[in-house]
Amino acid sequence: MTKTFTPVAFHAVDTGLSGKRVLVTGASGGIGGACARAFMAEGCEVVAHYHRGRERAEALGATVVLGADLRVEEEVERLFSEAGELDVCAAVAGIWPSEDVPVWELPLARWEETLRANLTASFLTARGFLRGVASRGHGSLVLVGSTAGLVGEAGHADYAAAKSAILQGLLLSLKNEVVRVAPGARVNAVAPGWTESPMTRESLDDETLARVTRTMALKEVAQPEDVARQVVVLASDELSGHVTGQVVTVAGGMEGRVIHEN
């Protein structure tokens, strides 16, 4: 059963995010768009980033809409120059190659492109944001990884390797580095499992849904809003002020990947 979500604020809980300026990368995608709407519902000034989906990003009604290829250093630097002073960054942008290719058949070109679009883009985004944090003395960064980075994903070793690097080495290094220049600044991550979005929709037919939900306690894939709400919670100093270096998994209690069809 598909859940229906309305992007509303937390109401009884004050996130303290009202008036904060937030950059959401990949805001033209499913999870990124949901994050942008969730932050806007909290009264934030949202800078919505896109790469190719300009119309989808503009339809969000964000404060500012900016395009950039996050794989390119100069474009990322321009993005942060134009974004203004930021309090929060949700680094959502990434790609998932849909074709199932085992490592012994995986072209080097795809490996390098997947790592560049996920790991390198996350590094450049984090670097750009944390330079501002060092200058201003405060800030909250939320990286978006994947359960593939926690349990692997057969046929997508490139994607799993990139997301694992984000959720382990990058995250745990950044949370220790940033407090050298900004005591109280925080870096956390969300690891979504299967989530219904434009990136995965073609792959999630009825047969695939039945297979991937077999290891989930909550036997349904996530909606983008499920992920967005956890991003907002981690971004909030009021709700997560003493939380840093942590990974919140949004996967319905998934315990692993199905390896065999039967």
Side-chain angles (χ1 to χ4, degrees):
M1 182 178 63
T2 301
K3 294 179 285 188
T4 300
F5 291 91
T6 301
V8 294
F10 281 68
H11 294 304
V13 179
D14 182 6
T15 63
L17 290 169
S18 181
K20 302 292 186 182
R21 194 169 181 88
V22 180
L23 170 65
V24 178
T25 69
S28 59
I31 293 176
C35 287
R37 290 189 295 272
F39 280 115
M40 287 189 288
E42 294 303 313
C44 299
E45 297 179 1
V46 172
V47 179
H49 157 268
Y50 70 91
H51 182 201
R52 297 187 178 93
R54 178 175 180 175
E55 291 184 358
R56 293 191 299 273
E58 290 179 339
L60 293 167
T63 305
V64 180
V65 177
L66 298 173
D69 184 342
L70 300 183
R71 300 168 298 181
V72 179
E73 185 174 25
E74 294 77 15
E75 292 202 28
V76 177
E77 291 178 353
R78 174 183 55 77
L79 171 67
F80 280 95
S81 174
E82 295 177 356
E85 292 194 359
L86 299 167
D87 301 292
V88 174
C89 177
V92 184
I95 65 166
W96 177 74
S98 60
E99 185 180 1
D100 187 309
V101 182
V103 163
W104 54 90
E105 297 176 2
L106 188 68
L108 179 60
R110 175 174 136 170
W111 170 271
E112 291 179 338
E113 173 56 24
T114 303
L115 263 67
R116 193 169 183 81
N118 291 285
L119 180 56
T120 301
S122 293
F123 154 67
L124 290 173
T125 300
R127 189 181 70 175
F129 176 68
L130 294 178
R131 282 174 173 170
V133 171
S135 174
R136 294 184 297 276
H138 72 275
S140 176
L141 171 64
V142 183
L143 303 168
V144 174
S146 167
T147 52
L150 302 175
V151 299
E153 186 170 355
H156 297 86
D158 49 346
Y159 181 75
K163 293 299 189 178
S164 181
I166 291 169
L167 296 176
Q168 293 293 319
L170 185 61
L171 169 67
L172 297 178
S173 298
L174 293 181
K175 63 99 174 176
N176 289 335
E177 288 181 355
V178 69
V179 293
R180 297 176 183 175
V181 292
R186 301 178 301 106
V187 184
N188 290 286
V190 173
W194 280 100
T195 304
E196 185 178 340
S197 71
M199 187 170 68
T200 62
R201 194 162 291 138
E202 291 184 4
S203 302
L204 286 173
D205 55 28
D206 290 343
E207 181 181 349
T208 303
L209 277 171
R211 178 169 58 84
V212 301
T213 56
R214 280 169 53 194
T215 68
M216 295 180 188
L218 303 178
K219 197 173 172 60
E220 59 187 7
V221 299
Q223 297 299 308
E225 290 80 4
D226 290 312
V227 182
R229 287 170 179 167
Q230 297 306 311
V231 171
V232 168
V233 168
L234 289 175
S236 166
D237 288 338
E238 291 293 326
L239 302 182
S240 303
H242 201 56
V243 177
T244 194
Q246 300 304 301
V247 178
V248 174
T249 303
V250 184
M254 184 180 72
E255 294 190 5
R257 301 280 181 177
V258 174
I259 300 173
H260 304 289
E261 296 294 331
N262 298 309

